[in-house]
Amino acid sequence: MRVLNLSTGFNPFQSSIEEIESKSFLFSGGEVHIKLQGSADDVLISTRLNDSNDIMKLLLAVDALRRSGTKNISVFIPYLPYARQDRVMVAGEPLSIKVMCNLINSCGFEKVYVYDVHSEVSLALLENCELISNYSLVKEVLKDRTDYLLVSPDAGALKKIYKLAEALTYTDDIVLCNKVRDVSNGRIKQITVDQDDLQGKDCFIIDDICDGGATFVGVAKELKKRNAGKVSLIVSHGIMSHGETELVDWIDHIYTTDSIKDTQSALISRISLSDLIQL
């Protein structure tokens, strides 16, 4: 087997496996192009699909490999685009995750590895899909810590956190939060917490994605009202689309992976997926 890493600087399989080199560029009309420096019977592709060019580059790479005689191709897509667009809210909108999965399925992959995907709808739509959980990330962050609390930021995260707590042999209470949105504008009106006194314990909010971070800021505010110690966030995919300005006032630290980007800061630690996964 050989590895083809399509995203510059992203190599989640740092090992003795030989890598296929590639070059890509844009034609004058804006079309992305790729040229591979070799092939193999079995190839594992890794890629961050951060924009449409990345998606097209993956499709082109698969075609180039097939034309070079590659028989078996698998792919690791750590952050699956459109996983949050898993339903049609109003007439006239697409079912975006189905469109994305249809594109990936068209490649005929032997395996499609995804990391802590947002929606189970994705798993139903992707063929030959294998989900990698966030267990190793959370275990790495908490390995030297004692007397802490796990926090579920909303109902959507609850099922995953119960499974995670069982895998970690965590025996303390899980702090359950919930949010109420204003249906007219989507903004969070209220966040509830099921405990009144957190006894100064450090709290770790766990979820799959941090985009703007409004939910986590709201949860952190409520936790600190209830005598929480430090409030940290463990998220598999750190988008941080609004930067750190609001987060830094309420979140003591953020632990995430390099599934989307590499940037680190005093607030954000990105743990390499090469240290967390083994396929």
Side-chain angles (χ1 to χ4, degrees):
M1 175 182 283
R2 297 180 70 181
V3 170
L4 172 59
N5 296 308
L6 292 179
S7 300
T8 303
F10 181 61
N11 182 3
F13 312 117
Q14 293 177 3
S15 66
S16 58
I17 303 176
E18 186 180 358
E19 183 174 349
I20 296 174
E21 299 294 330
S22 67
K23 296 180 180 179
S24 65
F25 59 89
L26 294 178
F27 287 116
S28 56
E31 305 94 336
V32 67
H33 186 64
I34 189 168
K35 186 173 184 179
L36 307 183
Q37 311 294 317
S39 62
D41 285 345
D42 300 287
V43 175
L44 174 58
I45 300 173
S46 75
T47 181
R48 292 166 169 158
L49 300 183
N50 288 349
D51 58 35
S52 298
N53 278 347
D54 290 335
I55 295 169
M56 194 63 197
K57 190 190 297 185
L58 172 61
L59 300 177
L60 294 175
V62 170
D63 185 76
L65 287 170
R66 299 285 188 206
R67 293 177 186 278
S68 299
T70 299
K71 296 180 177 64
N72 302 311
I73 307 174
S74 295
V75 65
F76 175 48
I77 305 171
Y79 174 72
L80 182 65
Y82 299 102
R84 289 181 287 174
Q85 288 75 48
D86 62 351
R87 67 197 71 187
V88 176
M89 302 299 291
V90 296
E93 291 185 347
L95 181 53
S96 302
I97 185 55
K98 184 171 177 58
V99 175
M100 184 73 247
C101 289
N102 284 345
L103 282 174
I104 295 172
N105 291 340
S106 72
C107 295
F109 291 117
E110 292 293 308
K111 283 284 187 182
V112 178
Y113 300 97
V114 293
Y115 187 74
D116 195 16
V117 73
H118 179 75
S119 170
E120 291 186 353
V121 174
S122 312
L123 305 181
L125 293 173
L126 274 178
E127 296 172 0
N128 304 319
C129 181
E130 187 165 318
L131 174 66
I132 304 171
S133 79
N134 63 342
Y135 169 70
S136 57
L137 169 64
V138 178
K139 183 181 178 182
E140 174 65 22
V141 173
L142 299 177
K143 64 182 179 182
D144 297 320
R145 304 177 190 272
T146 58
D147 201 25
Y148 57 83
L149 292 171
L150 297 183
V151 180
S152 172
D154 54 32
L158 189 55
K159 183 178 177 181
K160 285 184 180 179
I161 287 188
Y162 274 125
K163 289 182 179 179
L164 187 61
E166 183 178 0
L168 292 168
T169 63
Y170 171 85
T171 56
D172 212 328
D173 290 336
I174 296 175
V175 181
L176 307 179
C177 304
N178 209 347
K179 58 190 176 187
V180 179
R181 290 189 183 274
D182 186 332
V183 294
S184 66
N185 55 30
R187 293 177 182 173
I188 298 171
K189 293 195 302 184
Q190 180 185 16
I191 291 177
T192 60
V193 181
D194 75 336
Q195 297 186 33
D196 295 325
D197 184 3
L198 302 175
Q199 302 175 13
K201 293 184 179 182
D202 291 344
C203 293
F204 290 87
I205 307 168
I206 301 177
D207 211 345
D208 57 337
I209 299 171
C210 179
D211 191 335
T215 294
F216 305 121
V217 168
V219 168
K221 287 179 180 180
E222 295 302 320
L223 294 177
K224 292 190 175 185
K225 287 179 185 177
R226 291 162 173 79
N227 193 27
K230 290 185 177 180
V231 177
S232 299
L233 176 61
I234 304 175
V235 286
S236 299
H237 310 290
I239 299 174
M240 319 301 178
S241 59
H242 295 170
E244 301 177 14
T245 305
E246 294 183 17
L247 293 166
V248 73
D249 291 335
W250 296 99
I251 305 291
D252 290 284
H253 204 77
I254 298 173
Y255 301 90
T256 186
T257 74
D258 59 348
S259 65
I260 293 175
K261 59 183 84 170
D262 300 303
T263 53
Q264 306 216 30
S265 68
L267 177 67
I268 301 170
S269 295
R270 292 187 188 271
I271 300 172
S272 174
L273 283 168
S274 64
D275 296 327
L276 300 176
I277 63 171
Q278 195 169 27
L279 300 184

